[in-house]
Amino acid sequence: MNQRNNHRLVLFPLPLQGHINPMLQLGQILHARGFSITILHTNFNSLDPSSHPHFAFRSIADGLDQSKASLSDIPGLISLLNTRCASPFEECMREMVSSPGGDAVPIACVISDTRFSFTCGVAERLKVRALMLRTGGATSLHVYSILPVLKEKGYFSIDGSRSEEAVKEFPPLQVRDIPGVNLQKPEMALQFFDNMIKVIKSSPGVIFNTFEELEHPALTSVREVLPVPDFVIGPFPKCCVTSSSSSLLAEDRSCISWLDKQPLKSVIYVSFGSMAVVSEAEILEIALGLADSEQPFLWVVRPRSVRDPEWLQKLPCHFLEALERRGKIVKWAPQMEVLAHPAVGAFWTHNGWNSTLESISEGVPMLCMPCFSDQGVNARYVSDVWRVGVHLNGGLERENIARAIKRLLVEREGEEIRERALVLKEKASASGRQGGSSYQALDALISHILSFE
Ligand SMILES: O=c1ccn([C@@H]2O[C@H](COP(=O)(O)OP(=O)(O)O[C@H]3O[C@H](CO)[C@@H](O)[C@H](O)[C@H]3O)[C@@H](O)[C@H]2O)c(=O)[nH]1
């Protein structure tokens, strides 16, 4: 390991689980290469420093507690975070630069989430180098960059019945995959994505949590649209040497001993990330679909992801019996460990970018059910381009669910998908090994950071 402990990196994640995880993984990757790491975190979704004892933590006084910010309006929350965090971030950075105190290691670079629009300006004023982390994929970023064109072509006013129509400017996307297309007021979403594109365009450089072999065409296009230095050093889950958890919710580890008792590659793992919300009617269909699939299932149901706290008791006996015989429900799982478990045969996911990459990193076939934002694009690539999963076609109905699970876990088609997933897993691993594309890009990133001196 190269010793760079005299260089500090300040990392500032957006305080949402799907953004915190990759930023802290990046911290682990760079710490393993000898950097000292300081994590800045907000009052909202504040982090537990004891989970990463090798990092220093500083909380910024944004005055935003859990009650003032809501997860039900993400663009609103991000705008609030940008308003409330700008001054405290600058103050905190100023303090660290002028009087580093106990951690007297000079700051080599500040790395912030691409959803923060003020961080690079602050860094420039303080003469501190800056980079940004894109926590989503390159393909979805490319799609964000062409949304104004897609709007002009009329895709945002196509009625729902034509949602499976092809987007001929961007095969193999379908209309329903376009970010924001299903919203009643897509203008806000378009503005939101456009802001991010502008932030990246004017940034000093961006780090991607993906790998060249997975998204090379999109990366090539993104480099044309956003000509800033880039470092493609993922997938982070494969590149981290340690696996400290950055979960905001307590992980229920009892699911690992439950998995230990299940047959090899038999379990369908069901989780829709940290934000998606399901209605009571959807919960019922999911439950009955799992029961009818006749396969063992591990299902994550986050507190508050279902409105009715009594939801479980209201499910029919048919499901409750299946749950007792071959199912397990937890509020939050150690997901990466679950996906690496030999009993897990498939992952029913909303295709958040982290879940998608974690599944690819472990070679687990996916059942795709995208909910919003980049997830439609990610899911389309999983099923139609990388061909390591299938879409839940025909809607969220018990028969479709049971059929899709059997396709992946029982039928020959599932075996073929698994074979492709294992090939992709190997490519993901190889990219992070010495000589691999991500390994080389990480070396380039480190030289880039050190060349700032
Ligand atoms: O029981 C669980 C469920 C999830 N996770 C972790 O939580 C993260 C969830 O991230 P992701 O799969 O990306 O989903 P979201 O939380 O929905 O992520 C948001 O952020 C992503 C990255 O920017 C976007 O791709 C998504 O669309 C957006 O919803 C992953 O690392 C999972 O391993 C757990 O550890 N345990």
Side-chain angles (χ1 to χ4, degrees), residues 17-19 21 135-136 247 269 271 273-275 300 332-333 335 350 352-355 358 372-375 378:
Q17 190 73 72
H19 294 250
N21 287 6
T135 57
S247 284
Y269 169 58
S271 165
S274 65
M275 292 196 286
V300 177
W332 193 253
Q335 179 162 303
H350 71 315
W353 186 244
N354 297 291
S355 293
E358 289 159 14
F372 52 82
S373 188
D374 57 337
Q375 298 157 16
N378 303 340

Side-chain angles (χ1 to χ4, degrees), residues 396-414:
L396 188 58
E397 282 162 21
R398 60 196 79 169
E399 301 80 16
N400 299 332
I401 297 168
R403 198 175 314 122
I405 294 173
K406 284 184 181 154
R407 262 176 89 187
L408 284 176
L409 289 176
V410 182
E411 290 167 17
R412 173 79 195 126
E413 184 188 4

Side-chain angles (χ1 to χ4, degrees), residues 112-133:
S112 57
D113 195 287
T114 52
R115 297 284 187 197
F116 284 126
S117 54
F118 57 84
T119 46
C120 294
V122 170
E124 203 180 332
R125 279 199 286 288
L126 298 179
K127 302 198 170 20
V128 173
R129 306 300 178 156
L131 286 170
M132 306 207 96
L133 170 64

Side-chain angles (χ1 to χ4, degrees), residues 9-326:
L9 303 177
V10 175
L11 271 49
F12 187 30
L14 189 80
L16 296 174
Q17 190 73 72
H19 294 250
I20 292 168
N21 287 6
M23 187 65 92
L24 270 73
Q25 287 162 358
L26 175 64
Q28 287 175 33
I29 292 167
L30 291 167
H31 183 264
R33 291 294 199 102
F35 287 96
S36 298
I37 304 290
T38 296
I39 306 288
L40 292 191
H41 61 132
T42 54
N43 298 136
F44 172 75
N45 277 351
S46 66
L47 300 172
D48 172 14
S50 68
S51 59
H52 291 80
H54 45 302
F55 294 167
F57 282 78
R58 273 187 180 234
S59 133
I60 67 159
D62 54 296
L64 250 188
D65 62 27
Q66 240 47 34
S67 62
K68 291 197 189 100
S70 153
L71 280 180
S72 60
D73 169 20
I74 296 301
L77 173 61
I78 291 176
S79 150
L80 188 65
L81 283 164
N82 271 289
T83 319
R84 299 292 285 269
C85 295
S87 309
F89 171 79
E90 180 152 2
E91 240 166 72
C92 182
M93 286 295 296
R94 211 172 272 285
E95 203 185 298
M96 277 195 282
V97 170
S98 57
S99 53
D103 46 30
V105 183
I107 300 174
C109 184
V110 54
I111 304 175
S112 57
D113 195 287
T114 52
R115 297 284 187 197
F116 284 126
S117 54
F118 57 84
T119 46
C120 294
V122 170
E124 203 180 332
R125 279 199 286 288
L126 298 179
K127 302 198 170 20
V128 173
R129 306 300 178 156
L131 286 170
M132 306 207 96
L133 170 64
R134 160 85 181 140
T135 57
T139 311
S140 54
L141 186 62
H142 183 206
V143 175
Y144 292 159
S145 76
I146 63 155
L147 286 180
V149 176
L150 298 182
K151 182 166 189 284
E152 216 176 280
K153 299 272 176 191
Y155 287 108
F156 281 81
S157 35
I158 286 180
D159 73 82
S161 63
R162 291 168 55 199
S163 72
E164 290 179 25
E165 217 167 84
V167 177
K168 54 180 186 312
E169 291 77 6
F170 209 112
L173 283 201
Q174 297 181 2
V175 173
R176 59 180 168 162
D177 306 327
I178 299 174
V181 83
N182 296 321
L183 297 176
Q184 287 204 319
K185 290 186 188 153
E187 290 73 23
M188 264 179 66
L190 287 167
Q191 185 66 51
F192 178 64
F193 296 131
D194 191 48
N195 283 347
M196 191 179 57
I197 295 287
K198 286 190 179 123
V199 167
I200 298 179
K201 212 176 223 169
S202 61
S203 78
V206 60
I207 299 169
F208 281 97
N209 178 17
T210 183
F211 55 110
E212 286 283 350
E213 293 73 10
L214 186 72
E215 293 197 283
H216 183 69
L219 284 161
T220 307
S221 308
V222 164
R223 285 171 182 135
E224 279 165 23
V225 189
L226 304 168
V228 297
D230 72 79
F231 304 92
V232 181
I233 62 166
F236 291 176
K238 269 277 167 251
C239 303
C240 284
V241 268
T242 54
S243 58
S244 323
S245 161
S246 351
S247 284
L248 296 165
L249 295 170
E251 288 173 352
D252 183 343
R253 298 194 51 80
S254 67
C255 58
I256 300 294
S257 42
W258 179 85
L259 282 172
D260 289 342
K261 297 189 199 96
Q262 308 307 317
L264 272 184
K265 305 276 174 252
S266 67
V267 175
I268 174 91
Y269 169 58
V270 187
S271 165
F272 308 127
S274 65
M275 292 196 286
V277 174
V278 277
S279 68
E280 275 76 43
E282 288 168 335
I283 278 276
L284 177 64
E285 291 305 314
I286 296 172
L288 293 177
L290 291 173
D292 292 351
S293 76
E294 292 162 17
Q295 291 296 128
F297 59 89
L298 170 59
W299 184 10
V300 177
V301 185
R302 288 180 349 261
R304 288 186 299 170
S305 67
V306 196
R307 261 176 299 268
D308 182 358
E310 306 287 305
W311 65 274
L312 185 57
Q313 289 87 317
K314 292 184 181 161
L315 290 176
C317 297
H318 169 48
F319 169 76
L320 295 174
E321 279 161 23
L323 176 62
E324 207 177 307
R325 267 187 296 116
R326 55 178 164 83

Side-chain angles (χ1 to χ4, degrees), residues 383-401:
S383 65
D384 292 28
V385 179
W386 306 319
R387 298 173 62 227
V388 292
V390 295
H391 262 80
L392 179 66
N393 284 326
L396 188 58
E397 282 162 21
R398 60 196 79 169
E399 301 80 16
N400 299 332
I401 297 168

